[in-house]
Amino acid sequence: MSNFQWFLTLGVLCCAVLSPQGDGGVLAVFWPCETEADCTADGTSCDFASGQCECSTFDTVLAENFTQCLATSLIGEKCDDSVQCNLMPTGASCKAGVCDCADGQNYLRGKCRPLNGLGESCETDLDCYFGYDRASVSCQQNVCGCANGYYNRYGNICRRKSMENDACVVNADCDELGAGVECVGLVCTYVDEITTTPGGETEETETTNPGSPEDDDSTTAEAITETADPEQETAFSSRRQLTKAFVHAPPPTHSDAAAQVSFAQLTNGDTEPLISPRSHEIAVQTSIEKYELREVGRSVRNAATATTTTTATASTSTSSRRNSSRNQRHAHGQRRRLPALFRFDDEDIKTYSTLGSSRDDDDADEKKYGSSCTDNGKTCSGLPHSICSKNICLCRQGYYARNGKCFAELGEIAESTDECEYEFDQLTKTCNCQKNYFYERDLRNCRKPIQYHLSCTSNSQCSPFGASYCHPEIPRRCTCEEYALYDAIKQLCEYKRGLGAECESNDGCPVDHSVCSNRVCVCADNYFEKDDQCMRGIGADCSVEDDCIPENTECQEKDEEDQSRTCQCRKGYVHFKDECLKEAEELEDECVEDEQCKPLLASCNSEGKCGCNDEQHAKNGVCETKRELGESCTKATECYVEKDPENVECRNSVCQCKLGYSANANQNQCIRVMPNKKNSSGRPSALKIITFMLIGSAFLITSAAIKQAYY
């Protein structure tokens, strides 16, 4: 290759046009080539027809650093580079190793988009935040609200109103059925009709063990109950299941916004959620092995309630539908079914219409995802929900590829159950989760409901419990968010309001005399919390004595210069925290805190009395620092001996025995020194002789002076 070609290639690489789609993706990369050697990135080759370096397969994209080709990822799947998330522009980016929407956006119909909360404006249902159920919200008179048959559980979460044989998670799901109904074993049950057997044991609703082999095609979403025969029902009343009905009620409107969790905080398959640990567990998981829940397999399209008597279910099993479909085709002379197509007049408004086949004749090959095609911009023959783009059959936005087919995402239009990996609603012609199941944020997976004391696998399963999330550590349990507390009666994690609530500034703390400190509303200095209010404490400004709430306080002037008045402890009391405690008057007085003993230089011991510690000793009714004989001192009261403490003094800044006393061998006592009456020879000592001589001389001198004065 000539030098000019090398410089041209290098210049193209440096000036490749990158245009982000939302937070990730590329619009175009121009990498001209003449030979395979020009394409240096791993997995690329030279397309001589276009003269461009391209990745070898259609579902791989060139990395942003142009060193390799990476496999594309759907929303919620693992990634290394944001370009992987935008084979078709979704606006997603690679966050924490997962394709995810930007903060404040949600994935819907193939795109990341901002959604409005309950009570906010809308034009279509697609403008409303749906939490974990596409059918839970609707746009009513240009305002987002809970759909008919749903109620507002918390924030922007709308829950289905449970009926007989409909699963429930919390007691509030059963409120539509009247008083005395609770959610027991994930089924709405009249609690006053739970009776006991003659043996004293309560008859429990039999529920399949999620971990058992029989649970492969059924789940605890709709409990399997055992119906007693008429004779047994006469003797012992079992839990009566409620009559199936559907009540339509106007939804409440709310303007508060629930927390929206990113895909990095969800668990898909074996992926662990990437969330910070927090406290306030909702319930204790005693045996995770016993209660471990598994994701419902995609082959399971219906897990309806089964009883010992034959019961009609809301939806038919997948295998039954498929067998029925095959039988119908066989009955019609093996007539090949023409695929139904969907017309997209508006990308956000899809209408179901059978337009017939896009094939010119019945012998045309049926296409699969990734097959080559010629009619760009049109549906590939035999592949519903596809579009031919750059001569490759791809799935339209809102649909995804699986086993060569295009499956509808949850909530999207489908032609039959064969195009849904979970439930197919014959009425709305959409793919859905089972009733009361949770839609994951990728809109490709469903999660079964759990009771609050069981382990969880995804944040969606904790949504009925309010401001909660699925804790990542084993045993995984639904846990209240920071600044939220669990109310066992409501079965709800609720954010604190007022004192203790999360805040950004003082304006976010509505309680009088409260401030925002470390993102939490607390009482200001010199105020204390009482009955969710901030009361004047010691040091707070006051006008009259009644303003001072703590006992034994009074409203006093700070000083002569400052005329302001504050709440202070009365005389004889000491300030400790928010209280005024009585001062100790002598050692061994009762106390609560050391502050009470400070006037005596003492401390409050374990017995609740003022006393000296090991490095002190009692002297004149107070505790003084203990100084042994020979140690330095500043005052006589510091000097300590075990016996006769009056015989020790601080002399020349050293603890010593007084004159006429000497220390014993252990240096802990001063002993009086007794003088001898005679010396060893029995003769008068020299000192005495000198003393007598001095006295005699003084007498003679004095006498001579007196005599001279008279004469």
Side-chain angles (χ1 to χ4, degrees):
M1 180 182 291
S2 65
N3 291 336
F4 173 76
Q5 290 173 326
W6 277 110
F7 281 115
L8 178 62
T9 301
L10 181 61
V12 169
L13 285 174
C14 296
C15 301
V17 180
L18 298 179
S19 178
Q21 304 292 320
D23 286 336
V26 296
L27 178 63
V29 174
F30 298 100
W31 190 343
C33 62
E34 293 181 350
T35 65
E36 294 289 352
D38 295 338
C39 303
T40 57
D42 293 340
T44 58
S45 59
C46 184
D47 184 356
F48 296 106
S50 62
Q52 295 285 328
C53 289
E54 297 180 352
C55 292
S56 301
T57 58
F58 76 96
D59 57 352
T60 56
V61 291
L62 196 62
E64 290 183 352
N65 59 7
F66 307 108
T67 60
Q68 60 180 329
C69 288
L70 301 172
T72 56
S73 300
L74 297 174
I75 197 81
E77 292 182 343
K78 293 181 179 179
C79 59
D80 296 312
D81 202 325
S82 290
V83 295
Q84 296 176 261
C85 308
N86 289 277
L87 177 64
M88 298 186 72
T90 62
S93 60
C94 192
K95 297 169 57 178
V98 176
C99 287
D100 191 8
C101 295
D103 293 341
Q105 293 188 340
N106 290 83
Y107 177 76
L108 179 63
R109 191 159 287 177
K111 290 183 178 180
C112 291
R113 61 184 77 193
L115 300 180
N116 297 329
L118 299 179
E120 297 180 353
S121 62
C122 59
E123 294 183 2
T124 68
D125 293 351
L126 295 177
D127 296 330
C128 300
Y129 173 73
F130 53 85
Y132 299 98
D133 187 347
R134 283 283 303 270
S136 66
V137 294
S138 62
C139 185
Q140 306 158 20
Q141 298 179 348
N142 297 113
V143 177
C144 293
C146 292
N148 287 337
Y150 288 80
Y151 73 97
N152 180 234
R153 170 61 174 160
Y154 179 84
N156 284 326
I157 299 298
C158 296
R159 296 269 311 149
R160 184 186 297 274
K161 298 175 182 178
S162 296
M163 302 297 156
E164 182 192 7
N165 297 328
D166 284 347
C168 59
V169 178
V170 293
N171 294 335
D173 293 348
C174 310
D175 284 352
E176 195 69 18
L177 302 171
V181 182
E182 293 183 0
C183 185
V184 180
L186 296 178
V187 178
C188 289
T189 306
Y190 282 109
V191 293
D192 57 349
E193 294 192 4
I194 300 176
T195 60
T196 57
T197 63
E201 296 180 358
T202 303
E203 283 193 28
E204 296 289 344
T205 302
E206 291 188 5
T207 306
T208 57
N209 186 343
S212 63
E214 293 81 357
D215 190 50
D216 290 342
D217 294 324
S218 62
T219 64
T220 56
E222 303 210 9
I224 298 177
T225 58
E226 184 173 337
T227 306
D229 59 37
E231 295 180 1
Q232 291 175 333
E233 205 167 281
T234 303
F236 315 113
S237 175
S238 181
R239 292 179 177 170
R240 187 179 62 152
Q241 306 304 317
L242 308 174
T243 303
K244 181 175 293 186
F246 201 79
V247 179
H248 297 275
T253 58
H254 297 265
S255 59
D256 54 332
Q260 301 184 9
V261 186
S262 65
F263 280 108
Q265 296 175 309
L266 299 177
T267 299
N268 290 319
D270 296 329
T271 305
E272 290 296 328
L274 305 175
I275 50 179
S276 301
R278 295 173 175 93
S279 57
H280 309 306
E281 293 175 349
I282 289 179
V284 177
Q285 171 67 55
T286 55
S287 173
I288 191 169
E289 292 81 5
K290 180 177 180 181
Y291 295 110
E292 183 65 33
L293 298 178
R294 300 179 300 177
E295 180 183 359
V296 181
R298 292 188 174 89
S299 62
V300 181
R301 300 221 176 87
N302 179 44
T305 302
T307 61
T308 53
T309 60
T310 304
T311 304
T313 59
S315 59
T316 312
S317 66
T318 301
S319 58
S320 299
R321 291 195 216 96
R322 287 180 174 173
N323 291 336
S324 176
S325 178
R326 294 192 190 98
N327 293 338
Q328 289 176 2
R329 288 197 297 266
H330 185 270
H332 287 79
Q334 304 291 338
R335 185 172 63 240
R336 180 178 294 178
R337 177 177 57 84
L338 299 180
L341 302 181
F342 295 85
R343 178 170 54 246
F344 301 96
D345 299 326
D346 185 293
E347 65 171 359
D348 283 343
I349 303 175
K350 298 186 178 182
T351 57
Y352 179 81
S353 61
T354 304
L355 303 178
S357 175
S358 63
R359 298 171 293 179
D360 295 333
D361 56 82
D362 290 344
D363 295 330
D365 294 335
E366 291 189 355
K367 300 294 185 180
K368 292 185 177 181
Y369 176 78
S371 298
S372 60
C373 55
T374 56
D375 294 333
N376 288 322
K378 296 183 179 180
T379 301
C380 296
S381 62
L383 185 61
H385 318 302
S386 65
I387 185 170
C388 182
S389 178
K390 288 187 177 181
N391 301 114
I392 298 293
C393 288
L394 303 175
C395 294
R396 292 182 181 271
Q397 289 185 319
Y399 299 83
Y400 60 96
R402 192 79 81 214
N403 299 325
K405 296 175 57 178
C406 290
F407 284 86
E409 292 178 344
L410 296 171
E412 298 300 330
I413 292 175
E415 183 179 346
S416 68
T417 186
D418 294 331
E419 296 167 5
C420 300
E421 290 200 283
Y422 289 93
E423 292 290 307
F424 174 67
D425 191 316
Q426 293 280 1
L427 181 63
T428 61
K429 301 294 183 182
T430 56
C431 295
N432 302 304
C433 293
Q434 281 184 241
K435 285 184 179 180
N436 239 17
Y437 271 51
F438 302 103
Y439 292 54
E440 288 295 349
R441 291 301 176 88
D442 57 13
L443 297 181
R444 297 191 309 277
N445 294 282
C446 297
R447 296 280 179 177
K448 65 171 64 177
I450 61 169
Q451 299 180 65
Y452 67 89
H453 61 278
L454 300 184
S455 61
C456 56
T457 57
S458 171
N459 291 334
S460 62
Q461 294 170 303
C462 301
S463 59
F465 308 122
S468 61
Y469 67 102
C470 186
H471 203 288
E473 296 181 1
I474 295 176
R476 303 189 64 184
R477 294 188 291 262
C478 292
T479 304
C480 290
E481 296 277 356
E482 192 175 8
Y483 309 114
L485 294 176
Y486 182 68
D487 187 324
I489 297 177
K490 297 180 181 179
Q491 298 176 301
L492 195 67
C493 288
E494 294 182 296
Y495 282 109
K496 300 175 185 176
R497 298 183 182 275
L499 296 178
E502 186 180 13
C503 58
E504 296 289 344
S505 65
N506 292 343
D507 295 336
C509 301
V511 178
D512 291 341
H513 309 299
S514 64
V515 295
C516 185
S517 176
N518 296 325
R519 296 178 60 85
V520 180
C521 289
V522 297
C523 291
D525 292 342
N526 303 324
Y527 288 81
F528 66 96
E529 181 179 350
K530 182 180 180 181
D531 298 331
D532 297 326
Q533 298 295 321
C534 291
M535 314 300 292
R536 285 184 174 87
I538 302 167
D541 294 336
C542 60
S543 300
V544 295
E545 192 164 313
D546 290 341
D547 291 340
C548 303
I549 303 302
E551 294 183 0
N552 304 311
T553 57
E554 59 185 3
C555 191
Q556 303 175 359
E557 292 185 359
K558 288 184 178 180
D559 49 54
E560 295 180 358
E561 296 181 358
D562 191 350
Q563 298 299 319
S564 62
R565 297 161 63 88
T566 59
C567 295
Q568 301 295 332
C569 292
R570 297 179 185 275
K571 186 177 181 180
Y573 290 84
V574 294
H575 176 200
F576 179 77
K577 295 183 178 178
D578 297 324
E579 298 180 89
C580 288
L581 303 176
K582 185 175 177 57
E583 288 182 344
E585 297 178 355
E586 58 184 22
L587 296 177
E588 297 301 315
D589 279 356
E590 292 184 353
C591 58
V592 177
E593 299 290 342
D594 290 340
E595 291 290 330
Q596 297 174 262
C597 306
K598 278 191 173 181
L600 305 176
L601 305 179
S603 58
C604 192
N605 57 32
S606 59
E607 298 177 357
K609 295 183 178 181
C610 291
C612 303
N613 58 35
D614 293 339
E615 297 179 353
Q616 293 177 314
H617 69 103
K619 190 76 170 182
N620 300 330
V622 298
C623 293
E624 297 282 1
T625 304
K626 185 186 294 184
R627 303 294 184 186
E628 304 286 350
L629 290 174
E631 292 183 350
S632 61
C633 58
T634 58
K635 54 185 178 180
T637 54
E638 293 181 345
C639 299
Y640 170 77
V641 289
E642 294 181 357
K643 188 177 180 182
D644 300 326
E646 67 276 3
N647 297 332
V648 68
E649 63 181 354
C650 182
R651 190 169 66 249
N652 299 326
S653 299
V654 177
C655 287
Q656 304 180 55
C657 293
K658 291 183 177 179
L659 294 176
Y661 293 85
S662 63
N664 63 357
N666 294 329
Q667 293 290 310
N668 60 3
Q669 188 176 353
C670 290
I671 302 174
R672 185 178 181 84
V673 178
M674 300 299 295
N676 293 327
K677 294 182 179 180
K678 296 182 178 180
N679 58 16
S680 58
S681 62
R683 297 179 181 180
S685 62
L687 179 60
K688 289 182 178 181
I689 295 173
I690 294 173
T691 301
F692 285 127
M693 289 178 65
L694 291 175
I695 293 173
S697 299
F699 179 76
L700 293 175
I701 293 172
T702 302
S703 299
I706 294 173
K707 186 177 180 180
Q708 186 176 1
Y710 279 98
Y711 296 99

